[in-house]
Amino acid sequence: MQRNGGVVGNGSQSWVLRRVRLTWLSFMLFFILVFFPLIAHYYLTTIDEAVGPDKRIFGPRPGGELCEAKHVQDLCRIRESVSEELLQLEAKRQELNGEIARLNLRIEACKRSIDSAKQDLLQLKNVISQTEHSYKELMAQNQPKLSLPVRLLPDKDDPGLPPPRSVQSCRLHTCFDYARCPLTSGFPVYVYDTGSYPWGEYIDPLVKQAFASSVKSSVYVTDNPSIACLYVVLVGEILDSSPSPPPSPLDLEKQLKALPYWRLDGHNHLLIHLSRKSLTQNFLYNVSTGRAAVAQSTFLERQYREGFDLVVSPLVHALSEPNFLEVPPQVPVKRKYLFTFQGEKVESLRSSLLEAPPQSFEEEMEGDPPADYDDRIIGTLKAVQDSHLDQVLVEFTCKNRPKPSLPTEWALCGEKEDRLEVLKASTFALVISPGDGQVVASAGVNMRLFEALEVGAIPVVLGDHSKLPYHQLIRWSEAAIMVPKPRITELHFLLRSLSDNDLLAMRRQGRFLWETYFSTSESIFNTILASVRTSIQIPAAPIKEEPAQEIPHKAGKMAGTDANLADNGDLDLGPVETEPPYASPRYLRNFTYTVSDVYRTWNRAPGPFHLFPHTPLDPVLPSEAKFLGSGTGFRPIGGGSGGSGKEFQAALGGNVPREQFTVVMLTYEREEVLMNSLERLNGLPYLNKVVVVWNSPKPPSDDLLWPDIGLPIVVVRTEKNSLNNRFLPWDAVETEAILSIDDDAHLRHDEIMFGFRVWREARDRIVGFPGRFHAWDLNHQSWLYNSNYSCELSMVLTGAAFFHKYYAYLYSYVMPQAIRDMVDEYINCEDIAMNFLVSHITRKPPIKVTSRWTFRCPGCPQALSHDDSHFHERHKCINFFVKVYGYMPLLYTQFRVDSVLFKTRLPHDKTKCFKFI
């Protein structure tokens, strides 16, 4: 290297020396040609004047005799010779200047080549480093990269199962054929047509219609019975007014055995009986169902097989959808009545109607133990009502004829509308289980439970022997209070001791259970299938993603970088990915969710993965904080190794050291603004791709040149102009992290990277830049949307915010449709809706980063938010969303995350805000 350097140095020195000589020679010639003639002319003119006019030597002569003189001719030849040499020197000078220019061009080309080689070398080092890191991760985890499992189907020939010792002792491991349901089978379900078996004509037409509608919408139902894992048979509810009597138990057994896929003992069959009345026929009582499981609302002890049969909720809304706007709000927590109960049971009234007070429990226990505590319950509740310590409503005789009920069960009073009006004014709703311990589940108890949850009254179940719907999977203690009947005397104290926060949490959980599992026929059918699928440990089917219909477009010149947005000085934000985009790992926790997280996923809002299909990108549920930042099952391998500022800047580190994010940009007929925004993304580290949601019915211009930012730009065509399209779970988005950004948002690269790092520490939250808050209007008794500068916030605008793709599934498929309809009606409020959803699920406020309060670009065309009606519509949206959710889910926070690299600029009157670094 020194020898080459020496050669280059000598050549450069020789070239400089030649240049100096050439310059000196040119100067001398210039002096000779200009100053020498002037001096000679002056000298000769002086001589002529000294010798006299008639003896001039150089003066003008007549007849052109000047050139005849010999010495003048010599001077003319000298002048011509000098002129010719000057021309040659000028030509040589121009040639040398051209050579110098060519050499300068070669020098610049060599410099660019060296810079390009250095960049290629750096990229190769990054690729090698990433490849080595991925290899170490795979070796450490000792697991291959998973994809969607290959579907395995059962054999056509079914050898059957060995007979159990007793049909009453059926359990999954003795009566269910797991061979027909491999883990990767997808849980195919075959549903018998109600017209294919004789007793189908006795089933209630409303039940059949609702059941058929639910079957059509299920993702698990198949028309091929040879591949089915589960066979479903609808057996009720039977019409009371049938012209002919229903089949006897013996005839029903014969008809069941005649089903084409019964296979002698009915294994892998599920008999479903849906009740619409409080007194439902126990149609399968005394019927030998073999190895078939039973799902119904009423069970006797000798009939129910624990862990095999299912207690299901009644079918109250057969065909009609519940109106969520008519559901009473969840606040205020305390209502008019502390608790209410309306019912009648004639057998239990004899002791309560006596004037003398009933005996104490101690006195009763001195003799024989009482067979039924209902008499004591009546007396105690009446005493609480007469004490007037709290306003309660208890009625043990119906004003009108009570509804039919099972023996020893408390019958319902009045019509449903009247009962709901009472429950709307009740903090607690008492549900007294049947006095006969042989009745382990009844449609009447489940009907009372359904009505209480529907209007937000917290159920108080008296009697610990009753089986509530899906009790194997739902933790009812989070939504209802279970009290043994002997503790009736302590009930009043127990109910008064609960705090408002606990009551609101139970009411919210009850609302979630009602909406998710009980409210419609579709939810009931899906819950029944999910119960069986969860019990046999089969993962849920992947939830559908929105197919991205890409609009073809042509890329133009290489995008530049705006110095104001990407010039970070000496700050290294991280490597710009040069390899193909790195997608977040998929399908790593299917079996974990199914096996180990049963209670957590069944008992947490919004919708568990055992009921709804699961997402390919395993999400972070609110109750999964212990997983430290990622729902993908990543281990902290090669993660944070400490280091100073430079090492920290150059890599993400943490528990997921390799991760990217996707920019989702919504646009509408602002091509120039869009192109400028895309160019500003050039050189952004950890960017996977850009998904442009083209919200206009008109396609982009044919001559529009899209910037080449070195990463894929996917332009997605939408079916209609809707702000909800921003949150559709596009299949083109392959990362967990989504940066939702408007086409006119101006963010620097360092701000985006800082927001991404903060989101990785709080993956279940919305992390954004501009903050907003809600406020209560005392004059109008309503909620207001406020965008003023404040130290407190409850929302961040999704025009520049990070969130998990999981919330895109929930927003599009789980969130009530009424909210999305209002967003389309006003063409507004989609960001408020997303903040409501995430706060409702996590019970946490969003996180604001940096001191930004706006991000609009100067000089951009006017946006929708500049309209005068914009804020009035947002006021209406907040109040409407509160009605749908039943309470205000938004939470205030004074927490703001700032980097030490930022300098907060605040007006003098805003200096009291606190920031957390």
Side-chain angles (χ1 to χ4, degrees), residues 144-160:
K145 184 176 181 180
L146 298 182
S147 59
L148 188 64
V150 178
R151 184 172 179 176
L152 302 178
L153 300 175
D155 298 330
K156 294 182 179 179
D157 299 330
D158 191 346

Side-chain angles (χ1 to χ4, degrees), residues 302-323:
R302 57 171 296 190
Q303 178 188 12
Y304 179 69
R305 295 167 291 185
E306 181 70 39
F308 191 71
D309 293 330
L310 285 176
V311 179
V312 301
S313 59
L315 181 61
V316 178
H317 300 286
L319 294 176
S320 61
E321 293 285 337
N323 188 352

Side-chain angles (χ1 to χ4, degrees), residues 135-150:
Y135 176 76
K136 290 178 181 179
E137 280 187 344
L138 293 176
M139 293 299 295
Q141 293 178 2
N142 195 23
Q143 63 180 17
K145 184 176 181 180
L146 298 182
S147 59
L148 188 64
V150 178

Side-chain angles (χ1 to χ4, degrees), residues 30-61:
F30 176 81
F31 179 82
I32 293 172
L33 292 177
V34 175
F35 291 92
F36 182 79
L38 293 175
I39 295 172
H41 180 270
Y42 174 78
Y43 179 76
L44 294 177
T45 303
T46 306
I47 293 176
D48 287 341
E49 292 177 354
V51 297
D54 51 343
K55 294 183 179 181
R56 289 179 178 175
I57 301 175
F58 300 100
R61 296 182 181 185

Side-chain angles (χ1 to χ4, degrees), residues 76-91:
C76 290
R77 286 193 300 271
I78 292 173
R79 185 183 64 182
E80 292 176 357
S81 176
V82 171
S83 298
E84 184 178 355
E85 288 182 2
L86 284 176
L87 291 175
Q88 292 177 356
L89 289 174
E90 179 63 23

